Amino acid sequence: MSFSSTALEQREKELKTLTTFLTYSLIGSLTLDIGLLASGISNLVTKVPQEEPVEITFVEIPPEEIKPIEQPEEDIKPKVVDNSQSFTSTNNNSDSSPRVVLPQPQKT
């Protein structure tokens, strides 16, 4: 029976130590939380953020002047070349070979 009484005494001692530890831990935690909250709230109350007003400026750019299209000084008309011989199949010559007409370069 001495073994069970020693075990009971040890359990009671551990229970008392655990109760004391939890009590002091709870008190310390509450103190720390209240202190941090109080310092945070006091910083928010004393330090009011002052925002600078935002200035927006609209600048209108005048529209660009539309320049009229300049007309050419003289009308350029394309030269019409009569190539009807190259498209017809009439052979006035005695040659039976086809005749090729090359366009001539235009002088400007």
Side-chain angles (χ1 to χ4, degrees):
M1 289 266 188
S2 67
F3 182 69
S4 65
S5 65
T6 308
L8 270 174
E9 288 175 12
Q10 185 65 28
R11 284 187 184 181
E12 287 176 7
K13 187 177 178 182
E14 287 177 2
L15 182 63
K16 185 179 178 185
T17 307
L18 181 63
T19 307
T20 306
F21 174 73
L22 289 177
T23 304
Y24 286 127
S25 295
L26 179 64
I27 292 170
S29 176
L30 288 175
T31 305
L32 182 66
D33 288 347
I34 290 171
L36 289 175
L37 285 174
S39 69
I41 290 174
S42 67
N43 284 341
L44 288 176
V45 171
T46 58
K47 187 178 177 182
V48 177
Q50 296 178 353
E51 296 180 10
E52 296 180 14
V54 178
E55 182 176 333
I56 299 175
T57 306
F58 292 100
V59 178
E60 291 188 26
I61 301 173
E64 295 181 14
E65 294 180 10
I66 301 173
K67 296 179 181 177
I69 300 174
E70 296 179 8
Q71 296 294 330
E73 294 175 5
E74 57 183 54
D75 291 336
I76 300 173
K77 294 184 180 180
K79 289 185 179 179
V80 179
V81 179
D82 186 20
N83 287 335
S84 61
Q85 293 177 359
S86 64
F87 297 115
T88 59
S89 62
T90 58
N91 290 332
N92 294 337
N93 298 343
S94 61
D95 284 337
S96 63
S97 64
R99 212 173 100 183
V100 177
V101 178
L102 297 174
Q104 298 297 321
Q106 296 178 357
K107 295 180 183 179
T108 55

